Amino acid sequence: MNFASDNIVGASAPVLQAIMQANAGTMTAYGNDEISKRVRACFNEIFEREVSVFFVTTGTAANALALASAVPPYGLCVCHREAHIIDDECGAPEFFMHGAKLAGLPGIGAKLSAEDVVAYLKSLPKAVKQMPPKGLSISQVSEGGMVYSLDEIAALGAICREHGLSFHMDGARFVNALVSLGCTPAEMTWKQGVDILSFGATKNGGLMAEAIVVFRKDLAEALDYRSKRAGQIISKGRLIAAQFEGYFADDHWLDNARHANRMAAFLSEGLLQLPRVRLAWPTQANEVFPIIPKTLDQALKAAGILYNPWTELSLPETERVGDHKVLIRLVTSWASREEDVRRLLEVASSGLSREAAE
């Protein structure tokens, strides 16, 4: 049983079928094919306006190229200190930004608050020796599995407009947040001030399906060239675009995310029924962050259940893991099986019962 990530499962059947259909015959190369054109039109429909769409193969490429478009080499991009762009991408965003820096701020559940962002911006000296803030990036869902509400996104968007910052959203788990909020893609992005989005599908049923969605035309002007220089204009681009066609058809993307979130809620509720188990923060999408006894951690591992330990950096000030406990992350996916979740809960309950009896 593997709860380490939503990247550990393969692609969904509709996505694979779409690739197989796109594989037949010949088509224009480098993203100029009819499938790519159809999918770009589909993005326009989904976001209720004309957008610029650039297909890439990885989330790292999407984030790095998006931020390179949004932040000049002398600028500063504000993000959470545990954001994927600052913690998990080997400096790729800063590399592609050609010297621009990422500034990480604290926040519970790896979320930025408007108040903390404003305080940080006001603290920066205005002299030329200080890199000026030029961008803000949030992860939706956050690295702590938390979802920004529409009001929270709008507040950050207002700050960006006031201070002249480009607003980037890392949407590796975009649709998990979307179904959690019950809103539309437009309501979660440009209507709240988001300028550029890294739209992820790989974690939710794609094979390698990521896109940069741009709402501000000036940020899109050089992205073709940036993508080419980064090796992200794929010769058989139709096979990347086709994944989105299978992904969007019949609301498959929404169904996948609803299932993943439902499995996480089921897991979360089950864990809260166990003694000496609590959550670091609420479960809002498809990631669960329980604080469990170290003895339970050992029992789960002994049963062959895979997951990752997690950092305590984003805990509330009043929360401490404690000497005999550990904070872990459990992730569910579009392919998670209810029987596996039940089995994890059974192992956890049995392990705690044995410990109490000894």
Side-chain angles (χ1 to χ4, degrees):
M1 290 175 286
N2 195 332
F3 293 87
S5 177
D6 38 11
N7 274 332
I8 51 91
V9 295
S12 66
V15 169
L16 291 174
Q17 183 62 37
I19 295 172
M20 290 298 295
Q21 290 175 349
N23 192 56
T26 62
M27 292 187 193
T28 306
Y30 299 107
N32 296 310
D33 57 275
E34 291 304 313
I35 296 174
S36 296
K37 292 175 183 177
R38 287 200 304 267
V39 172
R40 289 190 177 98
C42 187
F43 271 97
N44 290 341
E45 293 178 12
I46 287 170
F47 285 96
E48 303 173 35
R49 55 169 287 181
E50 184 178 349
V51 296
S52 299
V53 181
F54 302 84
F55 302 118
V56 294
T57 57
T58 69
T60 296
N63 285 335
L65 293 173
L67 290 173
S69 297
V71 182
Y74 58 86
L76 198 66
C77 180
V78 180
C79 62
H80 191 274
R81 64 182 176 182
E82 289 191 89
H84 209 78
I85 58 173
I86 200 171
D87 232 16
D88 294 279
E89 295 183 329
C90 197
E94 291 170 317
F95 176 82
F96 280 90
M97 289 191 291
H98 299 295
K101 289 177 63 177
L102 297 171
L105 304 185
I108 296 171
K111 280 177 60 178
L112 292 175
S113 72
E115 295 77 13
D116 286 346
V117 172
V118 168
Y120 176 74
L121 294 176
K122 288 183 176 179
S123 75
L124 294 174
K126 302 302 185 288
V128 72
K129 65 181 180 179
Q130 168 64 51
M131 299 176 79
K134 291 293 183 179
L136 174 70
S137 178
I138 63 171
S139 301
Q140 179 76 319
V141 176
S142 80
E143 293 302 303
M146 299 285 282
V147 174
Y148 287 89
S149 70
L150 298 186
D151 287 343
E152 288 172 327
I153 300 170
L156 292 169
I159 292 168
C160 288
R161 290 190 295 275
E162 180 182 350
H163 293 269
L165 310 182
S166 296
F167 192 5
H168 168 253
M169 178 182 284
D170 177 358
R173 295 185 175 94
F174 180 87
V175 66
N176 297 96
L178 191 72
V179 299
S180 177
L181 292 176
C183 64
T184 69
E187 289 169 339
M188 202 169 77
T189 53
W190 63 270
K191 288 188 176 182
Q192 312 305 334
V194 174
D195 297 310
I196 190 166
L197 164 71
S198 299
F199 183 96
T202 304
K203 293 179 185 295
N204 192 47
L207 182 64
M208 53 175 73
E210 308 287 319
I212 304 168
V213 182
V214 191
F215 307 107
R216 262 177 51 194
K217 288 187 177 180
D218 61 303
L219 297 183
E221 288 175 356
L223 259 171
D224 275 326
Y225 299 99
R226 293 184 187 278
S227 297
K228 181 64 175 177
R229 293 183 71 190
Q232 289 296 318
I233 293 185
I234 312 301
S235 60
K236 297 181 182 179
R238 73 193 204 232
L239 299 180
I240 303 297
Q243 295 175 68
F244 288 104
E245 202 156 52
Y247 188 61
F248 291 139
D250 301 318
D251 287 341
H252 177 59
W253 63 312
L254 300 173
D255 291 339
N256 279 1
R258 290 188 184 108
H259 175 79
N261 287 10
R262 188 165 56 249
M263 289 297 96
F266 179 37
L267 175 58
S268 179
E269 291 163 6
L271 289 170
L272 285 175
Q273 301 303 312
L274 302 177
R276 294 185 296 125
V277 174
R278 65 188 191 276
L279 297 183
W281 39 74
T283 298
Q284 296 181 338
N286 68 316
E287 298 172 279
V288 184
F289 291 82
I291 297 172
I292 63 174
K294 289 184 177 178
T295 51
L296 177 53
D297 180 42
Q298 294 166 0
L300 293 174
K301 290 176 178 176
I305 299 172
L306 303 177
Y307 51 87
N308 287 310
W310 210 251
T311 170
E312 301 177 24
L313 278 176
S314 292
L315 288 175
E317 290 184 1
T318 56
E319 179 69 88
R320 293 292 180 272
V321 170
D323 293 338
H324 302 292
K325 293 196 173 184
V326 61
L327 170 60
I328 65 172
R329 183 187 76 162
L330 300 163
V331 187
T332 55
S333 77
W334 65 271
S336 291
R337 302 186 308 170
E338 185 173 326
E339 54 262 40
D340 288 337
V341 176
R342 289 188 185 279
R343 177 58 182 154
L344 185 152
L345 294 172
E346 288 170 1
V347 170
S349 178
S350 176
L352 289 171
S353 296
R354 283 198 306 270
E355 181 189 2
E358 291 174 356

